[in-house]
Amino acid sequence: RYQHAAMLRFYRRDLDTSQWPGLSRPSEYLRGHIAPRIEPDTIRGPFWLFSERGAAPRLPGFEVQVKRTLYDCAGSALSEATSPPCARPLHTWFLYRYEAAPGVR
């Protein structure tokens, strides 16, 4: 989502962060050409996709190799776990590591 892309670009300028085209509304950074736009045809190496969706988005030409789940619980640091470490997480986020599908790139 554009909010997450904007936060990552602000707080982690060292990361090469952008939005994948067509998954959600583009950020204002992308509309004004302030941030680099991703061109899926130019991606050669693996990459991480950050999402609030529990199911990995289907990205033609790529396959999910790793899924990580992050939980934000009140009064605790952000944690990675296979199940919620608290009764009511404030947020649940997913990280998906994609690689090119065999024979595609």
Side-chain angles (χ1 to χ4, degrees):
R1 296 180 54 199
Y2 70 97
Q3 296 96 330
H4 298 130
M7 285 191 295
L8 283 168
R9 289 191 62 76
F10 182 81
Y11 289 107
R12 291 297 309 266
R13 295 173 200 251
D14 58 313
L15 298 176
D16 189 15
T17 304
S18 189
Q19 287 179 269
W20 195 269
L23 291 183
S24 64
R25 181 171 78 88
S27 92
E28 296 303 317
Y29 280 111
L30 296 176
R31 289 176 187 233
H33 303 280
I34 296 170
R37 294 175 186 242
I38 283 184
E39 298 296 336
D41 293 341
T42 65
I43 303 294
R44 299 289 177 251
F47 62 91
W48 289 93
L49 186 132
F50 173 85
S51 179
E52 290 179 310
R53 298 176 186 170
R58 186 177 171 279
L59 303 179
F62 298 95
E63 295 179 348
V64 174
Q65 300 298 316
V66 177
K67 175 185 177 181
R68 292 184 174 169
T69 307
L70 305 173
Y71 295 97
D72 178 17
C73 295
S76 300
L78 184 68
S79 62
E80 179 180 352
T82 55
S83 61
C86 60
R88 299 174 96 178
L90 301 172
H91 302 95
T92 302
W93 294 301
F94 303 92
L95 287 172
Y96 300 102
R97 186 176 189 270
Y98 286 85
E99 292 185 14
V104 174
R105 304 232 182 270

